[in-house]
Amino acid sequence: MKQIRSYNTLPDGYKEVLNINLRGIKIFVFLNVASVLLILPFVLAYIIYLELNPDSSPIKLELLNILMYVSIALIIIFVHELIHGIFFKLGTKEKISYKFHGWAASASVEGIYFYKNHYILTGIAPFILITPLLVASIYSFPTHSLGFYILLAMHTSGCIGDFYVIFKLLKYSPDTLIHDYGIGMTFYKK
């Protein structure tokens, strides 16, 4: 399948058309502002929920609950990157590199060029797989529903970098190749 093939070297005839470095100050600020804006609908929905359900009580801010939610949030970050890695593996036999960059975690395969559709699938997979689990947890654990709701909001806003890159990729043709170097990626087109 052409969409999931990858190359160890850039094929002839390809040239760089875009380089996204997530360490750049403009992109860093943009993604953080966008992440906050992405949380706002969750806050608004919760406020509306409280207005419609005045008898509902929020979670207790006990140390044990806080530690549990922080632990789950860290596990979600790890699983999110692991899912990226699994989907990268569908297109290459090369080793996946996992890194923490101070403010973001990443999974990448240095020196490999992936086709656009495979890269989009790899980028969106954690959101598609983790979101239903968090939504199910909201309904399955009513005494912790707000905690899981907050985790859902945090994970969704944490996907902003993935959403941004996918949005940028949409205008390119399916034969576009992407080289992901962890904290950024370069797009190549014929």
Side-chain angles (χ1 to χ4, degrees):
M1 236 176 142
K2 187 176 183 180
Q3 289 87 354
I4 62 170
R5 278 186 53 210
S6 63
Y7 296 97
N8 292 338
T9 59
L10 188 64
D12 290 338
Y14 275 86
K15 63 178 181 169
E16 181 179 326
V17 291
L18 180 64
N19 183 8
I20 300 173
N21 185 336
L22 300 175
R23 282 194 177 151
I25 190 69
K26 284 182 182 178
I27 194 102
F28 177 80
V29 169
F30 172 78
L31 290 177
N32 279 283
V33 168
S35 180
V36 169
L37 292 175
L38 196 52
I39 283 183
L40 291 179
F42 287 93
V43 173
L44 181 61
Y46 185 67
I47 291 169
I48 292 169
Y49 171 79
L50 287 178
E51 288 296 317
L52 297 174
N53 301 286
D55 294 335
S56 66
S57 61
I59 60 171
K60 296 176 184 172
L61 291 178
E62 297 172 348
L63 181 60
L64 191 58
N65 282 342
I66 293 170
L67 290 175
M68 178 182 73
Y69 297 127
V70 168
S71 298
I72 293 171
L74 293 173
I75 291 168
I76 289 171
I77 292 168
F78 174 77
V79 170
H80 178 110
E81 296 307 326
L82 188 62
I83 292 169
H84 281 315
I86 290 167
F87 278 81
F88 274 134
K89 269 301 204 191
L90 295 175
T92 184
K93 294 182 191 302
E94 300 300 319
K95 182 181 179 197
I96 310 300
S97 174
Y98 297 96
K99 295 180 184 169
F100 184 70
H101 305 281
W103 60 274
S106 71
S108 62
V109 189
E110 190 68 36
I112 301 297
Y113 301 85
F114 293 97
Y115 275 108
K116 170 189 167 180
N117 291 340
H118 177 91
Y119 196 77
I120 288 174
L121 178 63
T122 300
I124 199 69
F127 177 75
I128 290 173
L129 295 173
I130 292 172
T131 298
L133 294 175
L134 289 171
V135 170
S137 297
I138 290 168
Y139 293 102
S140 298
F141 305 101
T143 58
H144 294 281
S145 61
L146 178 58
F148 283 109
Y149 184 76
I150 291 169
L151 290 169
L152 173 65
M154 288 172 55
H155 182 256
T156 301
S157 74
C159 291
I160 195 68
D162 297 331
F163 298 152
Y164 174 77
V165 172
I166 290 167
F167 176 76
K168 286 292 199 180
L169 261 174
L170 291 177
K171 72 178 181 179
Y172 292 100
S173 61
D175 64 346
T176 301
L177 293 173
I178 298 88
H179 172 244
D180 189 310
Y181 52 90
I183 198 63
M185 60 285 311
T186 307
F187 299 177
Y188 297 89
K189 201 175 158 198
K190 279 187 181 182

